[in-house]
Amino acid sequence: MTMSYPGAHDRIFLDFIAAGELRLPFDPATGQALGLHRRRAAAEWRPAAGTGTVLSFTVTRRQYAAAFPVPLVHGLIALDEGPTLIARILGAAPAEVSAGMPVRAGFDSHGLWFGPCQARVAEEPSHAAA
Amino acid sequence: MGARSCEPVAAITGLGFSQMSRAPIGTVRELAGTAVLAAISDAGLAPADIDGLLLNKSPTAAAEELPLLLQNDLGLRDLGLLAAIDSEGSSAVQMVQYAALAVRHGMARAVACVFSDTPVKSGSAGDTFAIAMPLSGIEGWEQQQGFLGAVAGYAMAAQRHMAVYGTTAEQLGAYAVACRQWARANPMAFLKKPLTLHDYLASPFVVEPFRVLDCCFPVNGAAAVVVTAADRAADAPLPPAYIHGMGQGHRGRNGMREDEPELHIGAVQAGRIAYRAAGIAPSDITQCQFYDAFSFAGIVSLEAYGLCPEGEGGRFVADGHTAPGGRLPVNTGGGHLSGYYLQGMTPISEAMIQVRGLGGERQARNDIVLVSGNGGCLDYHASLVVSPHRGLG
């Protein structure tokens, strides 16, 4: 549970997210995307397609933070480029979320979220998308 | 069975607790001091006999809550070993490992190892543990996403296990019920009310798929052990736990899809190395004391430590094998869910009670006991193979 301080790698990723863009580090030698745990100064940050697959998901029912009303759905998302990350899933009721579901990235005031590929999601969807 | 090692690495000869409570009962440092003195006395030693001290604070506590200065609080002089071990939930088992190595190699003769924590503030520990785990690889990311607490990280891993292997809510529940059955015979356990699978399924969700009964029961308190060389252990007033095998496994994460850190964990390595050192196979183990802060952690530990096939931990538990009367007793004191959550000292302390034959109604076959520590989100693993027998041959 120990947090360390964000370094350049973390700031680059978060700054792109703040600008409404999902970018991933790529190895310039191989052209392959790097997992976000790797910290390589030589990485090239390229735009991601923003599409992926839900590997797993959770539904938070206990309210931990006022900014995140419950029920709050998160997915472990495998991006099509290969890296994984955890992010909110909006635009689907908790019961509609399943492993294997294709999702697409969107942005709101908290930053990145994912929703079902086919779903029509408003610009600022409710977090309690139940 | 493989070729047995002739000589244990070292022995655990003392066990001590502070008071344990859901109410404020003192600082981390004060409770740690009480537990260390109790463990020294239990080992039949005096503070002047202690020449090593290892400290383990909770990852949620500040470093200054359990300082190296505990040495001076207790009047310990001329220590040959003094360190804080900070490998999250694997730390307590790691302390015992480093203490064993130190006494084996003459750096110290008697090492006290202590864990202490006060997570329960004003009746609840929920906010203490609502800290984002760095699972995605970007510092601050989980916070930004509102993905808070170890409970969320383990819930995500459990749901992945359910998706891949078909593990069910009823199987998670069976784990919680088995732990409660054990706790009912443990005078030190905090949750002893009878629990049925129906009660479990009716209990509220915290972070799906986890209900409140899938989660550990935090308490304020401390526990300590004393480790000495094996050839001094017979002098202790109570039977020692001989340490025959030790292992660690820290798999690391690369953040790529095929990595699956939710399913493939370093406990495999921690077990393999400990078994090899002890000259045993998983089938030789007669009981397990796992670090099971969440039900799923116990289930996946059964798989990773080779006690059931991969993916079948849930079924193994639901078939009753880990419950009282089962063929492989697991967490005979109730573990973290129904006993008490003193992180890595919960499995170590119950192993000591069992090895000494002091389990009363819950006493299980204690010939070869597996003890595990697990930290991060299944990231950091450490294990011990302990026994009341000096030789396993």
Side-chain angles (χ1 to χ4, degrees):
Chain A
M1 269 179 265
T2 311
M3 284 267 289
S4 54
Y5 293 102
H9 170 85
D10 313 272
R11 286 199 307 272
I12 291 169
F13 182 81
L14 294 173
D15 285 351
F16 279 122
I17 292 292
E21 201 177 350
L22 175 60
R23 287 201 183 212
L24 295 170
F26 281 74
D27 182 340
T30 66
Q32 298 297 306
L34 297 164
L36 292 171
H37 286 273
R38 289 298 303 273
R39 277 154 170 72
R40 244 192 237 177
E44 282 178 12
W45 290 81
R46 301 182 193 163
T51 49
T53 306
V54 174
L55 296 180
S56 184
F57 61 96
T58 58
V59 184
T60 298
R61 298 279 179 182
R62 182 197 190 280
Q63 182 90 42
Y64 286 105
F68 295 96
V70 296
L72 173 65
V73 183
H74 288 96
L76 173 61
I77 311 292
L79 298 170
D80 287 347
E81 291 83 357
T84 61
L85 49 69
I86 289 169
R88 293 164 301 142
I89 294 180
L90 307 178
E96 293 167 359
V97 178
S98 62
M101 186 172 92
V103 288
R104 182 181 297 279
F107 289 87
D108 67 2
S109 59
H110 285 294
L112 184 68
W113 56 271
F114 287 84
C117 269
Q118 274 74 39
R120 291 167 182 275
V121 182
E123 286 290 304
E124 280 279 333
S126 160
H127 299 301
Chain B
M1 289 191 190
R4 292 290 170 71
S5 63
C6 333
E7 193 57 16
V9 187
I12 309 172
T13 58
L15 169 66
F17 293 92
S18 72
Q19 187 189 350
M20 282 192 266
S21 177
R22 294 280 285 179
I25 49 171
T27 66
V28 170
R29 183 168 166 175
E30 289 162 349
L31 295 171
T34 301
V36 169
L37 292 176
I40 294 170
S41 170
D42 185 69
L45 299 175
D49 298 318
I50 296 296
D51 59 359
L53 179 64
L54 297 175
L55 312 174
N56 168 204
K57 71 165 188 68
S58 169
T60 62
E64 58 268 26
E65 291 190 62
L66 189 57
L68 299 177
L69 298 171
L70 184 70
Q71 173 188 6
N72 299 332
D73 298 3
L74 300 175
L76 304 177
R77 302 298 297 258
D78 303 317
L79 296 180
L81 180 71
L82 175 64
I85 306 301
D86 198 10
S87 295
E88 307 209 357
S90 69
S91 304
V93 170
Q94 287 198 29
M95 285 196 295
V96 172
Q97 294 177 344
Y98 302 135
L101 294 173
V103 299
R104 175 80 174 207
H105 293 287
M107 286 177 68
R109 289 166 53 82
V111 180
C113 308
V114 63
F115 170 83
S116 182
D117 194 22
T118 59
V120 190
K121 327 279 186 197
S122 61
S124 164
D127 292 329
T128 301
F129 294 109
I131 289 176
M133 296 185 109
L135 300 177
S136 297
I138 300 292
E139 291 297 336
W141 179 251
E142 279 72 20
Q143 190 80 30
Q144 183 178 113
Q145 288 289 327
F147 192 74
L148 299 177
V151 59
Y154 278 85
M156 190 67 85
Q159 182 66 62
R160 181 69 186 148
H161 199 270
M162 293 165 108
V164 171
Y165 297 117
T167 302
T168 65
E170 286 76 11
Q171 291 170 350
L172 296 180
Y175 187 88
V177 168
C179 288
R180 182 65 59 88
Q181 289 171 337
W182 284 116
R184 288 173 53 72
N186 180 4
M188 292 175 67
F190 275 71
L191 298 181
K192 288 191 274 201
K193 195 178 145 206
L195 178 70
T196 66
L197 188 58
H198 180 267
D199 298 332
Y200 167 86
L201 292 170
S203 73
F205 282 116
V206 180
V207 179
E208 287 184 45
F210 285 164
R211 294 170 167 84
V212 65
L213 293 173
D214 289 295
C215 305
C216 63
F217 193 78
V219 298
N220 299 326
V225 293
V226 172
V227 176
T228 70
D231 56 12
R232 295 186 65 204
D235 301 337
L238 287 167
Y242 290 103
I243 300 169
H244 289 276
M246 317 193 294
Q248 294 186 20
H250 314 285
R251 187 165 172 264
R253 292 170 178 253
N254 67 16
M256 297 298 285
R257 177 181 188 149
E258 63 278 7
D259 200 34
E260 299 263 35
E262 300 79 20
L263 304 177
H264 306 301
I265 65 175
V268 174
Q269 183 181 2
R272 187 174 63 235
I273 292 170
Y275 299 158
R276 190 172 62 209
I280 64 163
S283 56
D284 296 324
I285 291 165
T286 57
Q287 63 166 268
C288 300
Q289 305 298 340
F290 288 140
Y291 190 113
D292 65 343
F294 302 99
S295 55
F296 171 66
I299 287 171
V300 76
S301 293
L302 284 165
E303 299 174 16
Y305 281 103
L307 301 158
C308 71
E310 182 178 311
E312 293 186 18
R315 188 178 314 155
F316 189 83
V317 170
D319 286 346
H321 298 312
T322 66
R327 69 172 193 241
L328 184 66
V330 170
N331 289 15
T332 50
H336 286 151
L337 303 193
S338 288
Y340 44 86
Y341 179 58
L342 288 183
Q343 300 193 10
M345 272 300 170
T346 300
I348 292 170
S349 58
E350 179 64 12
M352 270 307 276
I353 291 165
Q354 288 282 332
V355 161
R356 287 170 161 179
L358 299 177
E361 284 178 44
R362 71 183 194 280
Q363 181 66 43
R365 229 184 106 203
N366 64 2
D367 294 298
I368 301 183
V369 181
L370 172 65
V371 183
S372 79
N374 160 31
C377 190
L378 299 166
D379 291 288
Y380 313 116
H381 298 269
S383 69
L384 301 170
V385 173
V386 300
S387 171
H389 310 303
R390 183 159 178 167
L392 291 186

